[in-house]
Amino acid sequence: MTDLNEAPINPLPPVVWALVVPMAMAELMFNMGARGLIGGAGAVGWRLAAIQDFAFSAEALRWMVETGRYPVELLWRFVTYPFVHAQLSQAVFAIVFILALGKMVGEIFRAWAVLAVFFGSSIFGAIMYTILVPKPILLVGAFPGAYGLIGAYSFLLWVTLGARGLNQASAFTLIGFLMGLQLLFGALFGSSPDWVAELFGFVAGFALSFVVSPGGWSRLMAKMRRD
């Protein structure tokens, strides 16, 4: 029998909605502006203006390190760049990733831990992007943070498999598949250096989960004492 009171979509943790709603609203505004539905003639350039104002700039980070000056308007870009995307398709795929992985991780992690993984991965991915990409372009989009959620999900699988005495390497099947797709598309169509931020976003998400997962810090300290 069908439960008539069942929600039409699977309920999502509020923290996941808090991440994806601003992305979706921004994308809706950009696309309606580009079609002349809102904002007048100037709305056509809203996306480019947002990228200029909120994208992460590796050159700006290098300038901050060299000068020792860290203005808030530049540091702010570490956490604003995930909410601006270069195009609709990038935004859609990122939102789908966050909805799927955020639900699985958010049902176990507390809300603050989900935010710590998402933004910590976005920040670490941007830093490694600056270090490893010789001539980086502006970094936009939620994929480094989304890959951080993949890292947290992989951590949960890794712990579960270990507790059951199974092969923990299979916890990394998803990230291996996604990186394989990156290599394939890069070989066929040319690659973007954004994958560096995404890969290290995954690394950060997995590593942060040792600390922010339920009982994570105490479990980590207990393991260190045993070792």
Side-chain angles (χ1 to χ4, degrees), residues 106-120:
E107 289 176 344
I108 298 174
F109 283 28
R110 294 180 180 179
W112 67 265
V114 174
L115 293 176
V117 167
F118 181 83
F119 287 111

Side-chain angles (χ1 to χ4, degrees), residues 25-48 86-88:
M25 293 299 295
E27 203 57 39
L28 178 63
M29 184 181 70
F30 295 152
N31 281 276
M32 291 182 68
R35 287 166 172 75
L37 300 177
I38 58 172
V44 174
W46 279 354
R47 186 188 298 275
L48 289 177
Q87 54 195 12
L88 175 62

Side-chain angles (χ1 to χ4, degrees), residues 9 17 33 42 44 47 68 76 110 114 128 140 162 185 204 220 222 225:
I9 59 174
W17 287 117
V44 174
R47 186 188 298 275
W76 186 242
R110 294 180 180 179
V114 174
M128 297 307 297
V140 293
F185 280 102
L220 177 61
R225 292 190 187 99

Side-chain angles (χ1 to χ4, degrees), residues 78 97 123 176:
F78 275 109
F97 266 67
I123 292 169

Side-chain angles (χ1 to χ4, degrees), residues 21 25 34 39 59 84 92 97 99 102 128 137 166 198:
V21 167
M25 293 299 295
E59 295 301 324
V84 180
V92 169
F97 266 67
L99 289 174
M128 297 307 297
I137 57 176
L166 301 175
E198 294 161 7

